[in-house]
Amino acid sequence: MFCLVEIFVRKLVGIQHPIKIGQSFFPHNTFARSRGTRANITAMTRYSTHAFTSTSSSSYLSSQRQPAPLTRRKSCHPQRGLMNKFAADEVMEVETISIDGSAKPSEASPFPLLSNKQPLYTHVSPGVCDMHASDVTIRAAWVVLLRSQHASHRANAKRTKDMFHEEDESFLDRYHEWEAKYDDFLSRVESDSYQGGTLLNVVSEKEKLLREYGLPDLFRAVKAAENALCSDVLFQSLRDDVDNSEDSLKASIEIALAGNLFDAGAAQAVQNVVGGTAFKGDSNKFAFKNSEDLQFAFEASRRRVRNSEWLCDDLDKLRANEYDRVCVFCDNAGADVLGMTLLARELAKRTKGAKVALVANELAALNDVTINELEEFYEACEQHDRNCLRQYRENGKIVLLSSGQSSTLLNLNTTGKDVNDWVKFEDTVSRSDMEGGKLRWLVVLDGMGRSLESNWECGKYVQPHVDVLNLAMVKSEINANRLGANVYDCVCKLSNSR
């Protein structure tokens, strides 16, 4: 009998020439994505961006990146084209990832909405990781958290291998070699002699090491499965909840916070909220069997949001404002990016003439959504929401952009060309229609990595016409302790430099 989630995926569209993997079937190759062949694209393959395929034990992986089918602003988003990447390109990718989290350092520059006045922007969050470089006790606490993710890494490496790399016999061997190397690096980080920098530098080094071992996306399988489930039944159910709510903004924020629970870096937190019945096998995968189980788990998370304390509750302040332009930096794949998509939809509806950018990592990091995955996820959702999501994308009210990043944290000093060009264009050319007035901007920072572990005080570094919304659920003891919060507290913090 097939795994139920895979039956669900197969029912969406037909799969030809499958490969048998245990008790599951997957297509040999990622189909080329285009509007004319959309119906022939399998959901699992759509949600497997960088389609890495083993070629030999010495030549780690090869990938095929297809051009995005979504309309993108020509001045800001040159066509990605069809590129075949082999092992040599993996080495090139290792060289391009910077210690500050940039996937393309040659194209990185400061986010255009940052202020050039003192104090100048820093991504480091006071009270969370400001002492990382100088305090060995604080570094040791972070190393405990990072090592606690090993079990999730192992489980998801096995699942990704089984789903996408069955013939790559060295895949798990390379994983174990990487884990040993990474563990050695963490031992150096927690030592007195460590001469490194911030938490962002540590997690960036992890991503560089993964690529050295030909493991660019350990969580590819779980992201593919959850994106497939979330873009169908759960999207339609939650969209209807928002549309039928007396307070659609509140409903959207609650859904966004509930979605942020589902984080591969905090698998135990997920398990504690939704319970073991919603999981298949190893809880570190938090792999849901079908859409009903995922819906059950999401409702449990929503109840937790409603019943938890809110460390910061600026929902009323947010409701009192209208924004002309919004930039949403997304966090995790699956339920989290579903929440961000519905929030973008709501913010695009609230203000006449508003435009919203959903922004995702250029390259994979943990289970964070990438730009390719975001494009494919949005395309699947809009099939069920032609009057809003489809229309908004076609008329430019919602755009999908790469952040140029490859980290679970966010450094706004090194954002990429896609998002920076769009922001510059909208903040200069578009405001010419406002008789010299300033557009009102909202920057949404989703999740612990982008809004708690980095950018906790981002509001004081932006220009006066910009508000910053930190939106996250606290899912780890180390973040809770240093913020004076409890695990599962919610953060909806609106700030600015005015």
Side-chain angles (χ1 to χ4, degrees):
M1 178 178 290
F2 296 120
C3 168
L4 292 178
V5 68
E6 291 152 9
I7 291 176
F8 166 77
V9 171
R10 285 172 59 80
K11 284 183 177 180
L12 291 179
V13 288
I15 298 180
Q16 297 179 348
H17 309 298
I19 299 173
K20 190 171 183 179
I21 302 179
Q23 294 180 323
S24 309
F25 287 86
F26 297 92
H28 282 287
N29 298 304
T30 301
F31 294 176
R33 288 185 279 134
S34 67
R35 294 208 177 275
T37 60
R38 181 181 352 229
N40 295 323
I41 304 172
T42 71
M44 273 299 187
T45 346
R46 280 202 318 248
Y47 297 120
S48 62
T49 63
H50 310 286
F52 297 100
T53 308
S54 170
T55 55
S56 70
S57 59
S58 61
S59 176
Y60 289 153
L61 307 172
S62 63
S63 70
Q64 185 179 71
R65 187 174 185 179
Q66 306 289 354
L70 304 181
T71 302
R72 309 173 77 178
R73 182 182 297 279
K74 291 183 180 179
S75 62
C76 302
H77 316 292
Q79 185 164 348
R80 294 172 183 267
L82 180 61
M83 297 181 292
N84 292 314
K85 289 175 154 187
F86 297 93
D89 295 292
E90 281 301 305
V91 175
M92 181 180 68
E93 184 176 280
V94 172
E95 293 173 350
T96 61
I97 293 176
S98 78
I99 199 66
D100 291 321
S102 173
K104 296 181 178 179
S106 63
E107 297 182 0
S109 60
F111 189 57
L113 298 179
L114 293 176
S115 173
N116 57 9
K117 297 180 180 180
Q118 296 290 338
L120 295 178
Y121 168 79
T122 173
H123 71 274
V124 176
S125 293
V128 181
C129 48
D130 53 334
M131 301 296 291
H132 186 276
S134 58
D135 191 320
V136 66
T137 303
I138 291 175
R139 289 202 305 276
W142 280 107
V143 167
V144 170
L145 183 148
L146 294 172
R147 282 195 170 121
S148 73
Q149 297 173 353
H150 282 350
S152 179
H153 289 148
R154 292 183 203 120
N156 281 286
K158 177 64 165 60
R159 189 170 187 229
T160 294
K161 194 268 185 191
D162 291 345
M163 187 176 291
F164 294 111
H165 304 285
E166 185 189 29
E167 297 179 359
D168 184 355
E169 296 179 357
S170 71
F171 187 90
L172 293 181
D173 290 338
R174 295 200 311 278
Y175 169 78
H176 291 300
E177 291 173 7
W178 166 81
E179 186 178 296
K181 183 82 169 182
Y182 179 51
D183 208 56
D184 287 344
F185 168 68
L186 292 179
S187 295
R188 295 198 303 274
V189 170
E190 65 181 347
S191 70
D192 291 329
S193 60
Y194 178 67
Q195 298 295 317
T198 68
L199 180 63
L200 174 64
N201 302 143
V202 173
V203 298
S204 296
E205 182 64 23
K206 171 190 171 183
E207 295 306 321
K208 294 181 71 173
L209 286 173
L210 280 166
R211 285 156 176 85
E212 287 180 12
Y213 285 87
L215 303 167
D217 196 351
L218 285 183
F219 290 81
R220 182 181 167 199
V222 73
K223 291 190 294 180
E226 291 196 2
N227 281 349
L229 293 176
C230 288
S231 62
D232 190 72
V233 177
L234 190 58
F235 168 77
Q236 296 178 73
S237 172
L238 295 178
R239 176 205 57 199
D240 292 346
D241 283 357
V242 171
D243 288 348
N244 295 328
S245 173
E246 294 182 357
D247 189 340
S248 57
L249 180 62
K250 180 180 180 180
S252 299
I253 292 293
E254 287 183 349
I255 288 170
L257 290 168
N260 189 240
L261 170 69
F262 298 89
D263 185 345
Q268 188 58 53
V270 183
Q271 180 81 338
N272 291 343
V273 169
V274 305
T277 58
F279 294 89
K280 179 185 70 176
D282 192 327
S283 65
N284 288 298
K285 297 178 184 177
F286 60 97
F288 299 96
K289 297 188 288 290
N290 51 47
S291 58
E292 288 77 16
D293 278 350
L294 179 57
Q295 205 153 6
F296 169 82
F298 199 92
E299 285 306 314
S301 184
R302 288 183 75 179
R303 288 193 296 273
R304 172 67 74 167
V305 168
R306 295 188 186 109
N307 296 330
S308 294
E309 294 293 327
W310 284 37
L311 178 65
C312 302
D313 184 0
D314 288 337
L315 180 59
D316 288 340
K317 289 170 60 177
L318 180 66
R319 186 186 290 108
N321 287 281
E322 291 188 350
Y323 298 99
D324 305 295
R325 299 292 182 268
V326 182
C327 204
V328 180
F329 287 91
C330 299
D331 188 13
N332 307 311
D336 198 349
V337 74
L338 171 57
M340 291 301 105
T341 300
L342 288 172
L343 179 60
R345 180 180 182 270
E346 173 65 19
L347 293 172
K349 291 172 67 175
R350 285 180 65 82
T351 305
K352 183 179 179 181
K355 294 182 182 180
V356 181
L358 281 166
V359 185
N361 271 5
E362 176 69 18
L363 299 177
L366 208 64
N367 70 318
D368 288 8
V369 68
T370 66
I371 180 57
N372 275 11
E373 289 164 339
L374 174 62
E375 289 168 344
E376 294 156 354
F377 180 83
Y378 191 100
E379 182 179 6
C381 290
E382 71 177 11
Q383 306 308 308
H384 309 293
D385 195 45
R386 295 173 183 270
N387 290 335
C388 286
L389 288 186
R390 166 70 68 81
Q391 187 176 46
Y392 290 167
R393 177 183 55 76
E394 291 180 343
N395 64 22
K397 281 183 71 69
I398 293 181
V399 297
L400 313 177
L401 306 172
S402 168
S403 68
Q405 301 274 305
S406 57
S407 174
T408 53
L409 278 67
L410 176 63
N411 183 357
L412 290 174
N413 271 330
T414 60
T415 44
K417 181 175 175 57
D418 271 15
V419 63
N420 286 353
D421 282 357
W422 183 81
V423 170
K424 289 175 186 175
F425 179 87
E426 294 298 333
D427 201 42
T428 55
V429 177
S430 292
R431 78 168 183 235
S432 64
D433 298 330
M434 302 180 61
E435 299 180 353
K438 282 280 190 181
L439 293 172
R440 286 294 306 277
W441 280 85
L442 176 67
V443 176
V444 181
L445 304 172
D446 174 34
M448 287 198 304
R450 288 164 184 79
S451 67
L452 305 185
E453 295 164 356
S454 60
N455 299 301
W456 178 243
E457 292 189 346
C458 185
K460 70 181 184 182
Y461 301 117
V462 294
Q463 297 174 35
H465 63 298
V466 181
D467 287 351
V468 176
L469 180 66
N470 294 61
L471 198 61
M473 180 184 284
V474 180
K475 302 184 290 288
S476 67
E477 289 285 353
I478 189 169
N479 280 304
N481 291 339
R482 296 189 64 76
L483 288 171
N486 297 306
V487 175
Y488 304 118
D489 278 3
C490 293
V491 173
C492 179
K493 174 187 174 186
L494 193 70
S495 60
N496 55 57
S497 63
R498 296 189 294 278

